[in-house]
Coordinates of all heavy atoms in Angstrom, one line a residue:
G387 N 89.2 123.3 104.3 CA 89.9 122.1 103.8 C 90.2 121.1 104.8 O 89.8 121.1 106.0
T388 N 91.1 120.2 104.4 CA 91.6 119.1 105.3 C 93.1 119.1 105.2 O 93.7 119.9 104.4 CB 91.1 117.7 104.8 OG1 91.6 117.5 103.5 CG2 89.6 117.7 104.8
V389 N 93.8 118.3 106.1 CA 95.2 118.2 106.0 C 95.7 117.8 104.6 O 96.6 118.4 104.1 CB 95.7 117.1 107.0 CG1 97.1 116.7 106.7 CG2 95.5 117.6 108.4
N390 N 94.9 116.9 103.9 CA 95.3 116.5 102.6 C 95.1 117.5 101.5 O 96.0 117.7 100.7 CB 94.6 115.2 102.3 CG 95.2 114.4 101.1 OD1 96.4 114.2 101.2 ND2 94.5 114.1 100.1
S391 N 94.0 118.3 101.6 CA 93.8 119.3 100.6 C 94.8 120.4 100.7 O 95.2 121.0 99.7 CB 92.3 119.8 100.6 OG 92.0 120.2 101.9
L392 N 95.2 120.8 101.9 CA 96.3 121.8 102.0 C 97.6 121.2 101.4 O 98.3 121.9 100.7 CB 96.4 122.2 103.5 CG 97.3 123.4 103.8 CD1 96.9 124.0 105.1 CD2 98.8 123.1 103.7
F393 N 97.8 120.0 101.7 CA 99.0 119.3 101.1 C 99.0 119.3 99.6 O 100.0 119.6 99.0 CB 99.1 117.9 101.7 CG 100.3 117.1 101.2 CD1 101.6 117.7 101.2 CD2 100.2 115.8 100.7 CE1 102.7 116.9 100.8 CE2 101.3 115.1 100.3 CZ 102.6 115.7 100.3
I394 N 97.9 119.1 99.0 CA 97.8 119.1 97.6 C 98.0 120.4 97.0 O 98.8 120.6 96.0 CB 96.3 118.6 97.1 CG1 96.2 117.1 97.5 CG2 96.1 118.8 95.6 CD1 94.8 116.6 97.4
E395 N 97.4 121.5 97.6 CA 97.7 122.8 97.1 C 99.1 123.3 97.4 O 99.7 124.1 96.6 CB 96.7 123.8 97.7 CG 95.3 123.7 97.1 CD 95.2 124.1 95.7 OE1 96.1 124.9 95.2 OE2 94.3 123.6 94.9
F396 N 99.7 122.8 98.5 CA 101.1 123.1 98.8 C 102.0 122.6 97.6 O 102.8 123.3 97.1 CB 101.5 122.4 100.1 CG 102.8 122.8 100.6 CD1 102.9 123.7 101.7 CD2 104.0 122.2 100.1 CE1 104.2 124.0 102.2 CE2 105.2 122.5 100.7 CZ 105.3 123.4 101.7
A397 N 101.7 121.3 97.2 CA 102.5 120.7 96.1 C 102.2 121.5 94.8 O 103.2 121.8 94.1 CB 102.1 119.3 96.0
A398 N 101.0 121.8 94.5 CA 100.6 122.5 93.3 C 101.3 123.9 93.3 O 101.7 124.3 92.2 CB 99.1 122.6 93.1
N399 N 101.3 124.5 94.4 CA 101.9 125.9 94.4 C 103.4 125.9 94.1 O 103.9 126.8 93.5 CB 101.7 126.5 95.8 CG 100.4 127.2 95.9 OD1 99.7 127.5 94.9 ND2 100.0 127.5 97.1
L400 N 104.1 124.8 94.5 CA 105.5 124.7 94.1 C 105.7 124.6 92.6 O 106.6 125.2 92.1 CB 106.2 123.5 94.8 CG 106.2 123.5 96.4 CD1 106.9 122.3 96.9 CD2 107.0 124.8 96.8
V401 N 104.8 123.9 92.0 CA 104.8 123.8 90.5 C 104.4 125.1 89.9 O 105.1 125.6 88.9 CB 103.9 122.7 90.0 CG1 103.8 122.6 88.5 CG2 104.3 121.3 90.6
R402 N 103.4 125.8 90.4 CA 103.0 127.1 89.9 C 104.1 128.1 90.0 O 104.3 128.9 89.1 CB 101.8 127.6 90.7 CG 100.5 126.8 90.5 CD 99.4 127.3 91.4 NE 98.1 126.6 91.3 CZ 97.5 126.0 92.2 NH1 97.9 126.0 93.5 NH2 96.3 125.4 92.0
A403 N 104.9 128.0 91.1 CA 105.9 129.1 91.3 C 107.2 128.8 90.6 O 107.8 129.7 90.1 CB 106.2 129.1 92.8
A404 N 107.6 127.5 90.4 CA 108.9 127.2 89.9 C 108.9 126.6 88.5 O 109.9 126.7 87.8 CB 109.6 126.3 90.8
V405 N 107.8 125.9 88.1 CA 107.7 125.2 86.8 C 106.9 125.9 85.8 O 107.3 126.3 84.7 CB 107.2 123.8 87.0 CG1 107.2 123.0 85.7 CG2 108.1 123.0 88.0
R406 N 105.6 126.2 86.2 CA 104.7 126.8 85.2 C 104.8 128.4 85.2 O 104.4 129.0 84.2 CB 103.2 126.5 85.6 CG 103.0 125.0 85.4 CD 103.0 124.6 83.9 NE 102.7 123.2 83.7 CZ 101.5 122.7 83.7 NH1 100.4 123.4 83.9 NH2 101.3 121.4 83.5
T407 N 105.3 129.0 86.3 CA 105.5 130.4 86.4 C 104.3 131.2 85.8 O 104.4 131.9 84.8 CB 106.8 130.9 85.7 OG1 106.8 130.4 84.3 CG2 108.0 130.2 86.4
D408 N 103.2 131.1 86.4 CA 102.0 131.9 86.1 C 101.2 131.4 84.9 O 100.3 132.0 84.4 CB 102.3 133.4 86.0 CG 102.7 134.0 87.3 OD1 102.5 133.4 88.3 OD2 103.2 135.1 87.3
S409 N 101.6 130.3 84.3 CA 100.9 129.7 83.2 C 99.5 129.3 83.6 O 99.3 128.7 84.7 CB 101.6 128.5 82.6 OG 100.8 127.8 81.7
P410 N 98.4 129.6 82.8 CA 97.1 129.3 83.2 C 96.8 127.8 83.0 O 95.7 127.3 83.3 CB 96.2 130.1 82.3 CG 97.1 130.4 81.1 CD 98.5 130.5 81.6
T411 N 97.7 127.0 82.4 CA 97.5 125.6 82.1 C 97.2 124.9 83.4 O 97.9 125.0 84.3 CB 98.7 125.0 81.4 OG1 99.0 125.8 80.2 CG2 98.4 123.6 81.0
P412 N 96.1 124.1 83.4 CA 95.8 123.3 84.6 C 97.0 122.4 85.0 O 97.8 122.0 84.2 CB 94.6 122.5 84.2 CG 94.0 123.3 83.2 CD 95.1 123.9 82.4
I413 N 97.1 122.1 86.3 CA 98.1 121.2 86.8 C 97.5 119.9 87.3 O 96.5 119.9 87.9 CB 98.8 121.9 88.0 CG1 99.6 123.2 87.6 CG2 99.8 121.0 88.8 CD1 100.0 124.1 88.7
E414 N 98.2 118.8 87.0 CA 97.8 117.5 87.4 C 98.7 117.1 88.6 O 99.9 117.0 88.5 CB 97.9 116.4 86.3 CG 96.7 116.5 85.3 CD 96.6 115.2 84.5 OE1 97.5 114.4 84.4 OE2 95.5 115.0 83.9
V415 N 98.0 116.8 89.7 CA 98.6 116.3 90.9 C 98.3 114.8 91.1 O 97.2 114.4 91.1 CB 98.2 117.1 92.2 CG1 98.9 116.6 93.4 CG2 98.3 118.6 92.0
G416 N 99.4 114.0 91.1 CA 99.2 112.6 91.3 C 98.9 112.2 92.7 O 99.7 112.6 93.6
L417 N 97.8 111.6 93.0 CA 97.5 111.2 94.4 C 97.5 109.6 94.5 O 96.6 108.9 93.9 CB 96.0 111.7 94.7 CG 95.8 113.2 94.5 CD1 94.3 113.5 94.9 CD2 96.8 114.0 95.3
P418 N 98.5 109.1 95.1 CA 98.5 107.6 95.3 C 97.4 107.2 96.3 O 97.2 107.8 97.3 CB 99.9 107.4 96.0 CG 100.7 108.6 95.6 CD 99.7 109.7 95.6
M419 N 96.7 106.2 95.8 CA 95.6 105.7 96.7 C 95.8 104.2 96.9 O 96.0 103.4 95.9 CB 94.2 105.9 96.0 CG 93.0 105.4 96.9 SD 91.4 105.5 96.0 CE 91.6 104.0 95.0
T420 N 95.8 103.8 98.1 CA 96.1 102.4 98.4 C 94.9 101.5 98.1 O 93.7 102.0 98.3 CB 96.5 102.2 99.9 OG1 96.9 100.8 100.1 CG2 95.4 102.6 100.8
L421 N 95.1 100.3 97.6 CA 94.0 99.4 97.4 C 94.1 98.3 98.5 O 93.3 97.3 98.4 CB 94.2 98.7 96.0 CG 94.2 99.7 94.8 CD1 94.4 98.9 93.5 CD2 92.9 100.4 94.8
R422 N 94.9 98.4 99.5 CA 95.0 97.5 100.6 C 93.8 97.6 101.5 O 93.3 98.7 101.8 CB 96.3 97.6 101.4 CG 97.5 97.2 100.6 CD 98.7 97.4 101.5 NE 99.9 96.8 100.8 CZ 100.6 97.5 99.9 NH1 100.3 98.7 99.6 NH2 101.6 96.9 99.3
E423 N 93.3 96.5 102.0 CA 92.2 96.5 102.9 C 92.6 96.3 104.3 O 91.8 96.4 105.3 CB 91.1 95.5 102.5 CG 90.5 95.8 101.1 CD 89.5 94.8 100.7 OE1 89.3 93.8 101.4 OE2 88.8 95.0 99.6
S424 N 93.8 95.8 104.5 CA 94.3 95.6 105.9 C 95.8 95.6 105.9 O 96.5 95.5 104.8 CB 93.8 94.2 106.4 OG 94.6 93.2 105.9
K425 N 96.4 95.7 107.1 CA 97.9 95.7 107.2 C 98.5 94.4 106.9 O 99.7 94.2 106.7 CB 98.3 96.2 108.6 CG 97.9 95.2 109.7 CD 98.3 95.7 111.1 CE 97.9 94.8 112.2 NZ 98.3 95.3 113.5
N426 N 97.6 93.3 106.8 CA 98.1 92.0 106.5 C 98.1 91.7 105.0 O 98.5 90.6 104.6 CB 97.3 90.9 107.2 CG 97.4 91.0 108.7 OD1 98.5 91.3 109.2 ND2 96.3 90.9 109.4
D427 N 97.7 92.7 104.2 CA 97.8 92.6 102.7 C 99.2 92.6 102.3 O 99.9 93.7 102.4 CB 97.0 93.7 102.1 CG 96.8 93.6 100.6 OD1 97.7 93.0 99.9 OD2 95.8 94.0 100.0
G428 N 99.7 91.5 101.8 CA 101.2 91.4 101.6 C 101.6 91.7 100.1 O 102.7 91.5 99.8
R429 N 100.7 92.3 99.3 CA 101.0 92.6 98.0 C 102.2 93.6 97.9 O 102.3 94.5 98.8 CB 99.8 93.2 97.2 CG 98.8 92.2 96.8 CD 97.6 92.8 96.1 NE 96.8 93.5 97.0 CZ 95.7 94.1 96.6 NH1 95.4 94.2 95.3 NH2 94.9 94.7 97.5
A430 N 103.1 93.5 97.0 CA 104.2 94.4 96.9 C 103.8 95.8 96.6 O 104.1 96.8 97.2 CB 105.2 93.9 95.9
N431 N 103.0 95.9 95.5 CA 102.4 97.2 95.1 C 100.9 97.0 95.0 O 100.4 96.2 94.2 CB 103.0 97.6 93.7 CG 104.4 98.1 93.9 OD1 104.7 99.2 94.1 ND2 105.4 97.2 93.7
A432 N 100.2 97.8 95.8 CA 98.8 97.8 95.8 C 98.2 99.2 95.9 O 97.6 99.6 96.8 CB 98.2 96.9 96.9
L433 N 98.6 100.0 94.9 CA 98.1 101.3 94.8 C 97.9 101.8 93.4 O 98.4 101.2 92.5 CB 99.1 102.3 95.5 CG 100.5 102.5 95.0 CD1 100.5 103.5 93.8 CD2 101.4 103.0 96.0
V434 N 97.1 102.8 93.2 CA 96.9 103.4 91.9 C 97.1 104.9 92.1 O 96.7 105.5 93.1 CB 95.5 103.1 91.4 CG1 94.4 103.6 92.3 CG2 95.3 103.7 90.0
V435 N 97.7 105.6 91.1 CA 98.0 107.0 91.2 C 96.9 107.7 90.4 O 96.7 107.5 89.2 CB 99.4 107.4 90.6 CG1 99.5 108.9 90.6 CG2 100.4 106.7 91.5
L436 N 96.1 108.5 91.1 CA 95.0 109.2 90.4 C 95.4 110.6 90.1 O 95.9 111.4 91.0 CB 93.8 109.2 91.4 CG 93.3 107.9 91.9 CD1 92.2 108.1 92.9 CD2 92.9 106.9 90.8
P437 N 95.2 111.1 88.9 CA 95.5 112.5 88.5 C 94.4 113.4 88.9 O 93.2 113.3 88.4 CB 95.7 112.4 87.0 CG 94.8 111.3 86.6 CD 94.7 110.3 87.7
L438 N 94.7 114.4 89.8 CA 93.7 115.4 90.2 C 94.1 116.7 89.5 O 95.2 117.2 89.6 CB 93.7 115.6 91.7 CG 92.8 116.7 92.2 CD1 91.3 116.4 92.1 CD2 93.1 117.1 93.6
T439 N 93.1 117.2 88.7 CA 93.4 118.5 87.9 C 93.0 119.7 88.8 O 91.9 119.8 89.3 CB 92.6 118.5 86.6 OG1 92.9 117.3 85.8 CG2 92.9 119.8 85.9
V440 N 94.0 120.5 89.0 CA 93.8 121.8 89.8 C 94.1 123.0 88.9 O 94.8 122.9 87.9 CB 94.6 121.8 91.1 CG1 94.2 120.6 92.0 CG2 96.1 121.7 90.8
Q441 N 93.7 124.1 89.3 CA 93.9 125.4 88.6 C 95.3 125.7 88.4 O 96.1 125.6 89.3 CB 93.1 126.5 89.3 CG 93.1 127.8 88.6 CD 92.3 128.8 89.4 OE1 91.3 128.5 90.0 NE2 92.7 130.1 89.4
G442 N 95.7 126.3 87.2 CA 97.0 126.8 87.0 C 97.1 128.2 87.5 O 96.3 128.7 88.3
G443 N 98.1 129.0 86.9 CA 98.2 130.4 87.3 C 99.2 130.5 88.4 O 99.9 129.7 88.8
P444 N 99.1 131.7 89.1 CA 100.0 132.0 90.2 C 99.6 131.1 91.4 O 98.5 130.6 91.5 CB 99.8 133.5 90.5 CG 98.4 133.7 90.0 CD 98.2 132.9 88.8
P445 N 100.5 131.0 92.4 CA 100.2 130.3 93.7 C 98.9 130.8 94.3 O 98.6 132.0 94.3 CB 101.4 130.6 94.6 CG 102.5 130.8 93.6 CD 101.9 131.5 92.4
R446 N 98.2 129.8 94.9 CA 96.9 130.1 95.5 C 96.9 129.8 97.0 O 97.4 128.7 97.4 CB 95.8 129.3 94.8 CG 95.7 129.6 93.3 CD 94.7 128.6 92.7 NE 93.3 128.8 93.1 CZ 92.6 128.0 93.9 NH1 93.2 126.9 94.3 NH2 91.4 128.3 94.2
Y447 N 96.3 130.7 97.8 CA 96.3 130.5 99.3 C 94.9 130.8 99.9 O 94.8 131.0 101.1 CB 97.4 131.4 100.0 CG 98.8 131.2 99.4 CD1 99.3 132.0 98.5 CD2 99.5 130.1 99.8 CE1 100.6 131.8 98.0 CE2 100.8 129.9 99.3 CZ 101.3 130.7 98.4 OH 102.6 130.5 97.9
A448 N 93.9 130.8 99.0 CA 92.6 131.1 99.5 C 91.9 129.9 100.0 O 92.5 129.0 100.7 CB 91.8 131.8 98.4
G449 N 90.6 129.7 99.7 CA 89.9 128.6 100.2 C 90.3 127.2 99.6 O 90.8 127.1 98.5

Side-chain angles (χ1 to χ4, degrees):
T388 62
V389 166
N390 198 50
S391 52
L392 193 156
F393 180 48
I394 291 168
E395 285 296 334
F396 189 103
N399 275 345
L400 295 181
V401 175
R402 292 175 179 126
V405 181
R406 293 293 182 80
T407 58
D408 295 344
S409 168
T411 306
I413 294 168
E414 279 197 345
V415 182
L417 306 181
M419 185 185 78
T420 184
L421 301 177
R422 291 181 173 85
E423 296 181 356
S424 76
K425 65 181 181 180
N426 296 319
D427 187 330
R429 285 179 286 178
N431 285 273
L433 62 82
V434 59
V435 176
L436 307 176
L438 177 70
T439 302
V440 298
Q441 182 177 328
R446 301 174 65 249
Y447 303 99

